[in-house]
Amino acid sequence: MPDFLLNALLAGLTLALVAGPLGSFVVWRRMAYFGDTLSHAALLGVALGLMLDVSPALTVTVGCVLLAVLLVTLQQRQPLASDTLLGILAHSTLSLGLVALSFMHDVRIDLMSYLFGDLLAVSPTDLAWIIGGSALVLALLAWLWRPLLAITVHEELARVEGLPVAAIRLALMLLIAVVIAVAMKIVGVLLITSLLIIPAAAAQRHARTPEQMAVGASLLGLLAVCCGLALSWYQDTPAGPSIVVSAAALFLASFALPKRSG
């Protein structure tokens, strides 16, 4: 197997493993639009990285984390509905990033790779960043699993039991921010959220427990990555969109199986 294809496969599989359990919380807590907002803001992070001559991966991570904190702050202090606030920030940051990139005449930019990913161009350095970031998120997610489940099932009851609900909610947003920054290289800023929600939504129909859904989402994500890369390799299609198409096909296929109850 060529090295570039092996790097792409390892990067995609690593992301699928962490996107499964994290995406389950995105689906349970109806945070898909929040993920879209962070992913749109990632392009602004890319622009800042190029302007400051530092790694875009670093500026995207910092930018997504800061935006997550800003969102939490504004949601607590502004009378606007959450979806309105998310819409304003999502499109504003995406547009600002595109405008900033347009001023960089002396920098060669492959905009399509940032928008839709360039999985087959993952370097060993990119792979190390993806594996390290994903491992960190998985470790923190395992540590916070029970508190996150508690605030997801019944937030008020969790607060009465003494759990720091606001801090746990912020931690979840920060984990999503890190995964979005890590995944940008794989599927691009416009398709990142799909890897979080599609496998989780497909697994939800056939899971009886939260843990089953998380594992099922990861397995479906792994399968989507393998199918997407195979499609890209044999049919010369874009790798990132091919993975998303494969995930969507698996989601549709999940309806062919009887829904588990109980």
Side-chain angles (χ1 to χ4, degrees), residues 38-194:
L38 289 184
S39 63
H40 283 55
L43 192 62
L44 179 58
V46 171
L48 291 175
L50 295 174
M51 290 174 62
L52 300 175
D53 196 24
V54 298
S55 171
L58 177 61
T59 53
V60 167
T61 303
V62 173
C64 286
V65 168
L66 291 178
L67 183 62
V69 175
L70 176 63
L71 280 169
V72 172
T73 303
L74 291 178
Q75 285 174 345
Q76 293 174 346
R77 298 183 179 181
Q78 294 296 323
L80 290 174
S82 293
D83 59 341
T84 302
L85 187 60
L86 289 171
I88 292 172
L89 290 175
H91 300 297
S92 298
T93 52
L94 177 62
S95 300
L96 185 58
L98 290 170
V99 170
L101 288 173
S102 69
F103 284 107
M104 299 179 191
H105 303 295
D106 56 339
V107 179
R108 186 176 179 182
I109 303 168
D110 184 5
L111 187 58
M112 293 297 288
S113 68
Y114 287 117
L115 292 177
F116 300 105
D118 192 5
L119 181 55
L120 296 180
V122 171
S123 66
T125 302
D126 294 328
L127 182 60
W129 167 251
I130 291 169
I131 292 176
S134 298
L136 175 63
V137 170
L138 270 179
L140 292 174
L141 194 57
W143 180 49
L144 293 170
W145 183 261
R146 291 299 174 187
L148 283 171
L149 278 181
I151 69 169
T152 299
V153 172
H154 200 300
E155 196 167 287
E156 290 302 321
L157 181 59
R159 185 176 286 108
V160 170
E161 292 178 348
L163 289 176
V165 173
I168 295 171
R169 190 191 306 121
L170 177 60
L172 176 60
M173 292 181 176
L174 295 180
L175 292 179
I176 296 172
V178 173
V179 167
I180 286 174
V182 167
M184 181 183 65
K185 185 73 174 181
I186 298 177
V187 292
V189 300
L190 297 183
L191 299 176
I192 289 174
T193 311
S194 60

